[in-house]
Amino acid sequence: MNRAFLKPGFFLLMVIGALGAAVTAHSTAGYLCLLLLIPVGGLLFAVPRWHGRIFYLACSGELLVLACGALTIWAGLFTAWMLAGVVLLELGMLEGKDDFGVFMLFCCVTLVLAAVIQVSDHVLVPLILLAAGAGLVLFFQDIRNYQLRKKYTGAVP
């Protein structure tokens, strides 16, 4: 996978999404989306070797996601996807086609969750379902980690 193309690609899509959210917004709060692109772009391109850059990139990008999400849920979701792509790419977690497939699965699952939230007109029930699902995943992952530790420490089953 061409990582050199993906890095500016994800950021360019993030810029297009924030610009679209700002243009379609019926208030002046839409310009906040454009202003919050500056720290994200600065951290992404101006300081490529700064220690802790990915953490600051995720934090400043989350402010952008919240600003776009305050305008519409779809602008916030798209910005969150692009931020996740940028962070995963910077961490080296989008190396092959399998990694990109998992990223696309994440996008599809969050799209379904956002559609459920949009249709239900409230967040409590989808949030409870999401928390229960995340709890189940963490529970099974904890069991698997326990099994691996037990197997590789030499303990008898």
Side-chain angles (χ1 to χ4, degrees):
M1 185 165 293
N2 190 358
R3 292 185 67 211
F5 171 73
L6 282 178
K7 182 177 176 179
F10 278 129
F11 183 71
L12 183 63
L13 286 173
M14 188 185 299
V15 168
I16 291 171
L19 185 62
V23 168
T24 59
H26 298 293
S27 69
T28 57
Y31 296 109
L32 183 62
C33 296
L34 298 178
L35 288 175
L36 288 172
L37 282 169
I38 295 169
V40 176
L43 285 167
L44 191 60
F45 295 111
V47 285
R49 303 220 190 304
W50 188 30
H51 180 69
R53 180 176 69 98
I54 296 172
F55 173 74
Y56 293 115
L57 181 67
C59 290
S60 64
E62 197 57 40
L63 291 174
L64 176 65
V65 169
L66 290 173
C68 290
L71 300 175
T72 65
I73 191 172
W74 305 114
L77 181 66
F78 183 76
T79 309
W81 290 343
M82 295 305 111
L83 177 64
V86 166
V87 170
L88 288 175
L89 193 63
E90 289 299 311
L91 287 171
M93 296 176 74
L94 279 181
E95 293 294 325
K97 290 185 179 186
D98 293 338
D99 297 333
F100 198 73
V102 171
F103 175 68
M104 293 307 294
L105 177 67
F106 162 75
C107 292
C108 291
V109 167
T110 54
L111 179 68
V112 169
L113 285 172
V116 167
I117 290 171
Q118 183 74 27
V119 169
S120 67
D121 287 334
H122 56 81
V123 212
L124 183 61
V125 174
L127 184 63
I128 290 172
L129 292 175
L130 179 65
L136 257 154
V137 167
L138 289 174
F139 176 72
F140 287 125
Q141 194 172 17
D142 197 31
I143 289 174
R144 183 65 184 144
N145 285 340
Y146 170 75
Q147 289 173 341
L148 285 172
R149 271 195 317 256
K150 189 175 178 180
K151 179 178 179 181
Y152 289 109
T153 56
V156 219

